[in-house]
């Protein structure tokens, strides 16, 4: 039956082809037309799914704190009036955005994530841009840029964090048990945020754009909030693990000449994720595994005098620095004895490590030094 149908289709195409076109050309034209129609339907589905998620986000916020949503509507009303006035004078509107430091279209005006002080500055930028985000007109889902697709989950999660802060101060009543009843919305919002960050980190730029720093700031605030982190990690732990693995691979696979400044923001993000105890322990395990495997490969290449990947060797130092930082942070915390520090990966890492360092120390002294420093932290008397 299948062969007969294919033969009938072939005869129909040949019979109906326009003059001046071969059967092959007409077949390719029909295939392209059908493919474009499929892409059009897929895009419409994506737009509708995004709109459904936006409505579910609004509904969830309303269930958690109806008063917050009521006050937010009043702010939106005044914001609409303001936007209406600014539409008459677009120059002043753009200048206000530029002065506030929230112009997401001007990437060159911002620095990378940098050190911890830079992260606090990005938190300040996120707070100052919050009101602009609430004033911004609804996203045009038919012409959504990468920045806007990242801004959508950031707006929702920022409002969730704002409700959390107001409820903690006794200003607002909120019922966060609603997060248990609607795991779909929180999971999809966090997943969108992680996917958006991954897209930008796969082709990192220097300096890092402002919306990237803002997305990282919201993510770190979520996982370090004692009340919200349990909800987020319980529902999105697997996605967070994938995100960390992706960031590690972004560092290892980048081969551009001027990559180190761009990768600095990626490594800073991994360090910030380590502020959460649960994520830190799993991140230490991932880093121990990558460093151990590379050290074994490097030793094997050295013993048989074969070539090794010099780019990966250079990138490995970023992972070593992140690993050392995480282990030092772990030592400084109070409940040191309750930490596992990588568990099984710790045992694998320390096994035969002395022999590896001994054989690599002459040819690769700096890498051997990092291995030794990590081993000292792992072998500390408080890390049993």
């Amino acid at each position: 039956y299948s062969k007969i149908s294919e033969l009938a289709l072939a005869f129909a195409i040949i019979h109906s082809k326009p003059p001046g076109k071969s059967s092959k050309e007409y077949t390719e034209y029909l295939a392209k037309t059908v493919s474009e129609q499929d892409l059009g339907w897929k895009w419409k589905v994506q737009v509708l799914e995004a709109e459904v998620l936006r409505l579910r986000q609004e509904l969830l916020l309303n269930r958690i704190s109806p008063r917050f949503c009521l006050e937010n509507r009043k702010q939106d009303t005044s914001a609409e009036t303001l936007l209406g006035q600014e539409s008459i004078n677009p120059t002043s509107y753009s200048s206000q955005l530029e002065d506030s430091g929230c112009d997401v279209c001007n990437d060159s005006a911002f620095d990378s994530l940098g050190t911890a002080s830079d992260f606090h500055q990005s938190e300040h930028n996120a707070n100052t841009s919050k009101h602009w985000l609430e004033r911004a007109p609804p996203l045009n889902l038919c012409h959504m840029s990468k920045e806007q697709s990242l801004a959508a989950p950031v707006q929702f999660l920022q409002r969730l964090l704002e409700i959390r802060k107001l409820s903690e101060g006794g200003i607002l009543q909120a019922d966060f048990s609603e997060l248990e009843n609607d795991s779909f919305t929180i999971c999809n919002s966090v997943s969108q945020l992680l996917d958006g960050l991954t897209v930008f980190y796969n082709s990192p730029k220097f300096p890092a754009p402002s919306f990237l720093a803002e997305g990282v700031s919201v993510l770190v605030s979520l996982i370090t909030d004692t009340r919200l982190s349990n909800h987020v990690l319980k529902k999105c732990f697997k996605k967070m693990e994938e995100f960390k693995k992706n960031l590690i691979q972004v560092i290892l696979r980048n081969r551009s000449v001027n990559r180190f400044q761009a990768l600095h923001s990626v490594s800073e993000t991994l360090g910030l994720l380590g502020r959460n105890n649960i994520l830190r322990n799993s991140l230490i395990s991932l880093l121990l595994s990558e460093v151990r495997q590379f050290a074994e490969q490097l030793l094997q290449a050295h013993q048989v005098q074969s070539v090794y990947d010099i780019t990966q060797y250079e990138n490995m130092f970023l992972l070593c620095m992140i690993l050392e930082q995480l282990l030092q942070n772990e030592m400084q915390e109070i409940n040191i004895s309750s930490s596992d520090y990588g568990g099984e990966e710790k045992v694998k890492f320390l096994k035969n490590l002395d022999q590896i360092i001994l054989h690599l120390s002459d040819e690769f002294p700096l890498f051997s030094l990092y291995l030794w420093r990590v081993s000292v932290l792992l072998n500390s008397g408080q890390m049993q």
Side-chain angles (χ1 to χ4, degrees):
Y1 177 79
S2 177
K3 290 182 179 180
I4 293 174
S5 300
E6 291 174 0
L7 186 62
L9 178 61
F11 273 114
I13 292 175
I14 294 172
H15 182 72
S16 61
K17 72 179 182 66
K21 272 193 175 183
S22 65
S23 299
K24 181 180 178 181
E25 291 173 342
Y26 187 53
T27 304
E28 291 175 348
Y29 166 76
L30 293 176
K32 183 179 179 181
T33 302
V34 173
S35 177
E36 289 176 350
Q37 290 176 352
D38 289 342
L39 290 175
W41 281 110
K42 288 179 181 178
W43 175 244
K44 290 179 181 178
V45 169
Q46 291 176 357
V47 170
L48 292 175
E49 287 177 344
E51 179 64 14
V52 168
L53 179 59
R54 185 187 66 81
L55 294 174
R56 293 191 66 149
Q57 289 171 345
E58 291 184 3
L59 181 61
L60 179 59
L61 292 176
N62 185 65
R63 287 175 176 173
I64 293 175
S65 180
R67 180 185 163 190
F68 175 85
C69 294
L70 181 63
E71 292 178 351
N72 199 47
R73 285 197 192 97
K74 293 179 181 178
Q75 292 177 1
D76 288 343
T77 303
S78 60
E80 287 175 5
T81 306
L82 176 64
L83 286 173
Q85 295 172 351
E86 294 295 350
S87 63
I88 302 174
N89 187 5
T91 306
S92 63
Y93 177 58
S94 62
S95 65
Q96 285 184 9
L97 289 183
E98 188 174 354
D99 292 340
S100 67
C102 303
D103 187 1
V104 297
C105 298
N106 185 9
D107 295 347
S108 61
F110 298 91
D111 296 324
S112 65
L113 288 177
T115 57
S117 61
D118 298 321
F119 170 70
H120 291 307
Q121 182 63 34
S122 69
E123 284 182 322
H124 174 71
N125 291 339
N127 291 331
T128 56
S129 63
K130 184 193 309 176
H131 300 293
W132 175 79
L133 286 171
E134 291 176 354
R135 290 179 180 181
L139 296 177
N140 185 354
L141 295 175
C142 296
H143 301 89
M144 185 182 293
S145 65
K146 291 180 180 180
E147 293 85 350
Q148 290 174 324
S149 65
L150 186 60
V154 167
Q155 289 182 34
F156 165 69
L157 295 172
Q158 276 182 334
R159 293 181 177 181
L160 189 63
L161 288 166
E162 186 176 355
I163 293 175
R164 168 75 176 97
K165 185 176 180 181
L166 293 174
S167 65
E168 189 179 27
I171 303 173
L172 198 68
Q173 289 185 347
D175 181 14
F176 287 96
S177 63
E178 290 293 336
L179 293 176
E180 295 284 351
N181 302 328
D182 192 359
S183 59
F184 172 86
T185 302
I186 189 70
C187 278
N188 277 265
S189 300
V190 175
S191 295
Q192 270 192 356
L193 175 58
L194 296 177
D195 290 339
L197 291 175
T198 301
V199 168
F200 287 103
Y201 278 134
N202 279 328
S203 53
K205 298 178 181 179
F206 181 82
S210 61
F211 55 82
L212 190 61
E214 188 172 342
V216 173
S217 173
V218 170
L219 179 62
V220 174
S221 297
L222 273 178
I223 64 175
T224 53
D225 187 286
T226 54
R227 197 167 182 179
L228 294 177
S229 61
N230 292 332
H231 293 286
V232 174
L233 293 179
K234 183 165 62 175
K235 298 173 178 62
C236 311
F237 183 77
K238 186 176 180 181
K239 189 73 177 180
M240 294 290 294
E241 289 296 291
E242 293 177 1
F243 179 63
K244 290 186 295 184
K245 292 178 182 178
N246 286 335
L247 292 188
I248 292 174
Q249 293 305 313
V250 165
I251 293 176
L252 291 177
R253 293 175 181 174
N254 195 303
R255 296 181 173 276
S256 62
V257 177
N258 300 317
R259 63 187 179 277
F260 296 107
Q261 288 179 319
L263 289 180
H264 181 67
S265 63
V266 185
S267 61
E268 283 293 325
T269 300
L270 282 172
L272 293 172
L273 292 177
R275 292 186 174 189
N276 181 280
N277 291 333
I278 299 175
L279 295 180
R280 178 168 55 212
N281 287 334
S282 62
L283 181 55
I284 288 175
S285 295
L286 291 173
L287 293 172
L288 284 173
S289 176
E290 290 290 343
V291 175
R292 174 183 59 83
Q293 291 178 32
F294 180 78
E296 293 174 351
Q297 295 171 5
L298 188 62
L299 175 61
Q300 184 178 5
H302 176 63
Q303 288 175 337
V304 298
Q305 297 297 310
S306 63
V307 291
Y308 62 94
D309 191 337
I310 183 63
T311 303
Q312 191 174 16
Y313 173 77
E314 294 172 347
N315 293 342
M316 189 60 61
F317 284 98
L318 279 173
L319 298 190
C320 290
M321 287 187 283
I322 299 168
L323 179 57
E324 185 179 14
Q325 176 191 347
L326 293 176
L327 292 173
Q328 288 174 343
N329 292 343
E330 192 85 3
M331 288 184 64
Q332 294 171 359
E333 292 198 353
I334 299 175
N335 298 324
I336 296 177
S337 58
S338 64
S339 300
D340 189 24
Y341 291 88
E344 184 181 351
E345 283 301 330
K346 171 190 170 182
V347 176
K348 290 181 180 179
F349 183 86
L350 294 176
K351 185 180 180 181
N352 300 326
L353 183 63
D354 291 339
Q355 291 296 320
I356 294 176
I357 294 176
L358 179 64
H359 287 89
L360 295 180
S361 57
D362 290 338
E363 190 73 23
F364 308 99
L366 184 58
F367 183 66
S368 299
L369 178 62
Y370 266 105
L371 292 179
W372 175 78
R373 288 166 63 167
V374 170
S375 68
V376 169
L377 290 171
L378 290 173
N379 281 320
S380 175
Q382 293 176 323
M383 298 182 185
Q384 300 298 330

